[in-house]
């Protein structure tokens, strides 16, 4: 079997069907949204920081889209709790793909990295590093 | 001997002409159902390209040597062949080779639109336009101040012709419509729309990217002012498209690309331009691709476009019937038997991209996404859809493979 069904191993299907940390947080320190315009994947991530303004205390995501984008978001939220913003910014696409534990076909990488990019952009907007409305991955 | 127009296609023989159809994907025979995106290429077309590079590759219109003469004659005659293929009685002078449909659209938008349009003018499109026409005219509207309006589609994916007659007025300068929708499969009444446009003194640009490959087309019977299509969707190579324009219109327009090949006399101050169609083909043109496109016309004519149309029609109907058997599948576009050879759909529980990835395991190639019709998808209430599109070499068994793959995806995601 090719890349396709390998891509849909149990873990991804499980996170897609039963997303972890799904929903919206009440008073998030920051909240950010992103999309893949061509796929129609959307992800919103809400984060509450600890008093140190650096450690991620609580995180939730909501959204809509393909299994890869939604499962990545679910998996990411599990990792983010307890992480610092510095650690968040150190994550790259390989970390996300490792987290998914499957090979992602080149055309689908943008689905896989959407949640990570939303979290990173959200943090940067929060710390005033830059200003955008929505994140897009292409 | 040429078959009669009603004989069914001998798909087994036709498939033998397309080497890529022998391919296997991880040991499974390829099922290629993405023909609306690009079609596969038969041996005679591949041979034409190879023969050009092997025996007479040279620049055209320029050299006096033997190779250049051979290349020039073949390239120029390719325009005549394409003219004949779509019923343009003006011959080569009405046929401009471009890169693709998109460039043909932009050529008219820039060379005609920028010069002629202004505030108070209106451009009428349809809700089902491909981005190649929608984005182009939308942006030309912004540049010129012309207003862009969209003819509505009804629930079944047909154009609302009453709305068309409302929108097309004496202020309308251009009506630009897809002949066949690449998403819905709707075959639009372009000759009727041409009448309405002409009654109001407007021009009509027909986007034939999804019609010319699949059915006999006569641009003069439609009375299109402009008409465009792409070689790569009709058994031809990538890199060549066609703009047909009525001769007097093309004559009245300024060039789009300036440079070599399109000029007669050049001084430091002034330039006079070549005659049609070369005035619109600045620089070294798409020589091998143009010649190969003529070979694609020969190939399709040899088999017969009526027969191809019937064949695809039967396949699309079969696919439509099989897909609509399932309650969890939404099929878009006309329910009747008057659709082009493609079917777009969604499986409720599985995103189109996931479906396409899973179908790839069954070696089934379909398109998943917005098919370059994002606003239409918004109208349909979905971000993406899956699309199976058929051509002369496809079979019912291949549609059965598609359905099996869909079953598999449904089970996986259950
Ligand atoms: C209806 C329609 N118009 C225009 C195009 C654009 O064709 P191209 O990408 O070859 O310019 C396509 C195909 O993608 C199409 O289906």
């Amino acid at each position: 079997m090719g890349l396709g069904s390998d891509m849909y191993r149990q873990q991804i299907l499980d996170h897609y069907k039963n997303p972890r940390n799904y929903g919206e947080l009440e008073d998030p320190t920051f909240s950010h949204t992103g999309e893949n315009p061509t796929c129609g994947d959307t992800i919103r991530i809400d984060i509450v920081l600890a008093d140190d303004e650096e450690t991620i205390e609580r995180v939730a995501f909501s959204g809509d889209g393909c299994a890869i984008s939604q499962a990545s978001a679910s998996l990411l939220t599990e990792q983010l709790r307890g992480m610092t913003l510095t650690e968040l910014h150190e994550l790259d696409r390989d970390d996300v793909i490792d987290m998914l534990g499957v090979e992602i076909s080149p055309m689908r990488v943008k689905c896989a990295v959407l949640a990570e990019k939303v979290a990173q952009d959200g943090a940067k907007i929060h710390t005033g590093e830059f200003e955008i409305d929505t994140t897009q991955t292409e | 001997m040429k078959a009669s127009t009603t004989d069914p296609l001998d798909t087994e023989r036709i498939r033998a002409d397309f080497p890529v159809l022998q391919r296997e994907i991880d040991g499974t025979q390829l099922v290629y159902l993405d023909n609306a995106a690009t079609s596969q290429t038969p041996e005679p077309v591949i041979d034409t390209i190879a023969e050009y590079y092997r025996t007479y590759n040279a620049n055209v219109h320029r050299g006096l040597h033997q190779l250049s003469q051979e290349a020039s004659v073949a390239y120029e005659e390719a325009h005549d062949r394409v003219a004949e293929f779509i019923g343009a009685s003006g011959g080569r002078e009405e046929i401009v080779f471009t890169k693709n449909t998109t460039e043909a659209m932009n050529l008219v938008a820039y060379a005609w639109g920028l010069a002629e349009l202004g505030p108070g003018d209106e451009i009428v499109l349809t809700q089902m336009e491909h981005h190649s026409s929608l984005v182009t005219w939308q942006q030309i509207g912004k540049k010129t101040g012309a207003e862009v309006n969209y003819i509505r589609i009804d629930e079944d994916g047909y154009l609302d012709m009453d709305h068309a007659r409302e929108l097309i007025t004496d202020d309308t300068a251009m009506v630009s419509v897809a002949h066949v929708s690449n998403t819905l499969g709707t075959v639009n009444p372009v000759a009727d729309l041409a009448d309405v446009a002409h009654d109001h003194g407007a021009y009509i640009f027909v986007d034939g990217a999804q019609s010319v490959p699949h059915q006999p087309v006569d641009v003069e019977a439609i009375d299109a002012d402009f008409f465009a299509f792409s070689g790569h969707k009709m058994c031809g190579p990538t890199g060549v498209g066609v703009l047909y324009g009525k001769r007097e219109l093309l004559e009245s327009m300024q060039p789009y690309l300036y440079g070599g090949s399109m000029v007669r006399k050049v001084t430091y101050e002034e330039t006079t331009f070549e005659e049609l169609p070369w005035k619109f083909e600045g620089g070294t043109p798409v020589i091998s691709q143009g010649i190969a496109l003529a070979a694609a016309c020969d190939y399709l004519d040899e088999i017969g476009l009526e027969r191809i149309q019937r064949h695809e029609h039967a396949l699309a109907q079969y696919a439509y019937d099989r897909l609509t058997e399932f309650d969890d599948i939404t099929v878009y576009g006309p329910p009747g038997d008057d659709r082009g050879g493609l079917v777009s759909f969604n499986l409720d529980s599985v995103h189109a991209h996931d479906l396409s990835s899973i179908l790839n395991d069954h070696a089934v190639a379909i398109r998943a996404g917005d098919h370059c019709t994002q606003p239409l998808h918004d109208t349909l209430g979905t971000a993406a859809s899956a699309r199976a599109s058929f051509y002369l070499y496809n079979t019912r068994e291949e549609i059965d493979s598609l359905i099996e793959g869909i079953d598999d995806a449904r089970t996986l995601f259950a």
Side-chain angles (χ1 to χ4, degrees), chain A residues 2 4-5 8 17 39-40 67 108, chain B residues 26 351 353-354 357 361 383 412 414:
Chain A
S5 65
Y8 297 92
K17 291 180 206 167
C39 319
R108 303 298 298 281
Chain B
D26 288 329
H351 189 282
H353 283 142
D354 295 324
S357 293
D361 282 346
L412 201 57

Side-chain angles (χ1 to χ4, degrees), chain B residues 159-208:
Chain B
L159 276 188
D160 178 344
M161 286 299 283
D162 289 333
H163 191 225
R165 279 181 281 268
E166 239 171 78
L167 283 184
I168 300 169
T169 67
D170 289 347
D171 292 328
T172 306
M174 174 61 79
V175 178
S176 184
V177 292
H179 195 172
V180 175
S181 162
N182 69 317
T183 302
L184 300 170
T186 314
V187 183
N188 288 318
V190 285
D192 296 343
L193 286 162
D195 283 345
V196 180
H198 294 150
D199 283 346
H200 292 281
Y203 295 122
I204 185 164
F205 192 135
V206 178
D207 167 1

Side-chain angles (χ1 to χ4, degrees), chain B residues 36 100-102 130 132 178 180 182 207 209-210 230 232-233:
Chain B
N100 48 31
T101 304
T102 305
H130 187 277
S132 70
V180 175
N182 69 317
D207 167 1
Q210 297 297 346
S230 296
H232 68 93
K233 295 184 197 285

